[in-house]
Amino acid sequence: MQHPAALLKAHKLRASKKRGQNFLTQPATARAIALSAGVRSDDVVLEIGPGLGALTRAAAELAARVIALEVDRGIFAVLQAEMEQAGAANLELRLCDALQADFAGLAQEAGRPLLILGNLPYAITSPLLFRLVENLNSWRSATLMIQLEVARRLVSGPGGKNYGRLSVLAQTFCEIRAGMKVGPDQFFPKPAVDSQVVHLAPRKKPLVDLADKDAIAWFGAVVKAAFSQRRKTLANSLAGGLGLNRAETAEYITRAGLDPGCRAEILKPQDFGCVAAEMIGLKDQV
């Protein structure tokens, strides 16, 4: 595997700061990540942002098929040439923005739930995680390398400073496990922060009982509103975030068995579920 710096120079390209491109330089680390994902010989892997192919190569050695989505046209052309030279016959590259990808369609095409891999730029990490939560039936596991700060938010529990909207929604629908840490020296260019691998798998039963897509969407709206003004009480943040009357909102919170004067950061996902259930009759008003 040619070093990313040499490969970029040979093709007169530069890593894009706007896209947060930091390319993994160590094949051994890439293989360790792929192995930690539990890639099986019959798996169809969907790779988000293959970059210059370090993780792509490792996945292609293990899986039946790899579909890699790359949004950068210049990087896509380089990777295509490199993978053709490597003879990775089970790899299909697609010029595609992963945030716009049809996960359900890709899973249907694969004939099974996907195994997702990716070294994610900071800017797309949260939006992509929310997309995965919206498409739980399309994948069986996701192994993602993300900034350490975001990894901490994913696994943080109630009361912690890192606990927030992403923590609640991800933990409600997914089992999450922290994996190996990867230092800046293993990337080119070197990022200013450490990275960490996280492993996600859809829960067989979400922590909150949500009957349909409307209920799921309302639960998400309630959680978003609750964390929209972290320093305010739950009643104030929900009322402000949803555009509701504060006194009425406080009454619903009380009915859910919670203190309207508490803050969102101390609530468990199940608590948000109780609030959302009490308030679901208001969903068409906001």
Side-chain angles (χ1 to χ4, degrees):
M1 172 181 163
Q2 195 171 358
H3 193 280
L7 201 52
L8 290 170
K9 184 177 180 180
H11 291 271
K12 299 181 180 179
L13 295 173
R14 292 183 179 181
S16 170
K17 289 185 178 180
K18 181 179 179 181
R19 290 200 165 114
Q21 291 175 340
N22 301 99
F23 303 108
L24 190 61
T25 62
Q26 304 296 322
T29 301
R31 182 168 177 80
I33 293 170
L35 288 171
S36 75
V39 181
R40 303 184 300 230
S41 60
D42 61 343
D43 272 326
V44 176
V45 170
L46 178 68
E47 185 182 6
I48 307 298
L52 295 173
L55 193 53
T56 314
R57 292 171 187 264
E61 290 176 0
L62 298 170
R65 181 183 174 199
V66 177
I67 302 170
L69 308 181
E70 175 58 56
V71 70
D72 187 306
R73 290 182 179 274
I75 296 298
F76 178 86
V78 175
L79 182 60
Q80 195 168 43
E82 288 292 304
M83 294 297 103
E84 285 176 1
Q85 185 176 349
N90 61 339
L91 170 66
E92 181 182 347
L93 300 176
R94 299 188 185 183
L95 188 62
C96 174
D97 182 349
L99 295 179
Q100 304 299 323
D102 178 5
F103 289 97
L106 287 165
Q108 185 175 14
E109 176 188 330
R112 68 194 71 186
L114 303 161
L115 188 149
I116 296 174
L117 292 178
N119 171 22
L120 303 185
Y122 180 80
I124 76 161
T125 300
S126 290
L128 182 69
L129 287 166
F130 289 130
R131 286 296 317 280
L132 292 181
V133 167
E134 292 168 358
N135 290 273
L136 292 170
N137 292 330
S138 302
W139 53 282
R140 73 170 179 86
S141 71
T143 295
L144 307 170
M145 183 153 54
I146 59 180
Q147 283 196 6
L148 182 58
E149 169 198 339
V150 184
R152 286 173 174 164
R153 287 165 54 197
L154 273 178
V155 301
S156 179
K161 65 178 182 179
N162 295 309
Y163 186 69
R165 177 189 174 207
L166 181 62
S167 319
V168 172
L169 292 180
Q171 291 172 28
T172 296
F173 297 101
C174 301
E175 295 179 351
I176 307 169
R177 177 171 56 87
M180 63 187 290
K181 292 181 180 178
V182 183
D185 289 345
Q186 298 205 45
F187 298 91
F188 177 84
K190 293 180 183 179
V193 296
D194 287 335
S195 299
Q196 184 162 24
V197 174
V198 291
H199 304 278
L200 296 90
R203 293 184 183 274
K204 292 181 179 178
K205 184 178 181 181
L207 296 180
V208 176
D209 185 13
L210 299 164
D212 52 36
K213 288 185 177 180
D214 285 347
I216 293 171
W218 175 244
F219 173 72
V222 168
V223 173
K224 182 179 180 179
F227 284 102
S228 62
Q229 301 177 76
R230 292 182 69 102
R231 294 185 179 182
K232 291 193 174 184
T233 65
L234 181 63
N236 285 338
S237 59
L238 277 180
L242 296 172
L244 299 171
N245 175 272
R246 196 267 181 203
E248 184 181 8
T249 302
E251 186 177 337
Y252 281 111
I253 295 170
T254 301
R255 287 182 193 171
L258 299 168
D259 177 6
C262 73
R263 287 181 168 79
E265 62 201 39
I266 72 165
L267 302 184
K268 298 179 293 185
Q270 294 91 330
D271 295 328
F272 286 103
C274 291
V275 174
E278 285 294 334
M279 299 178 69
I280 197 164
L282 304 176
K283 68 182 177 64
D284 295 327
Q285 300 179 30
V286 301

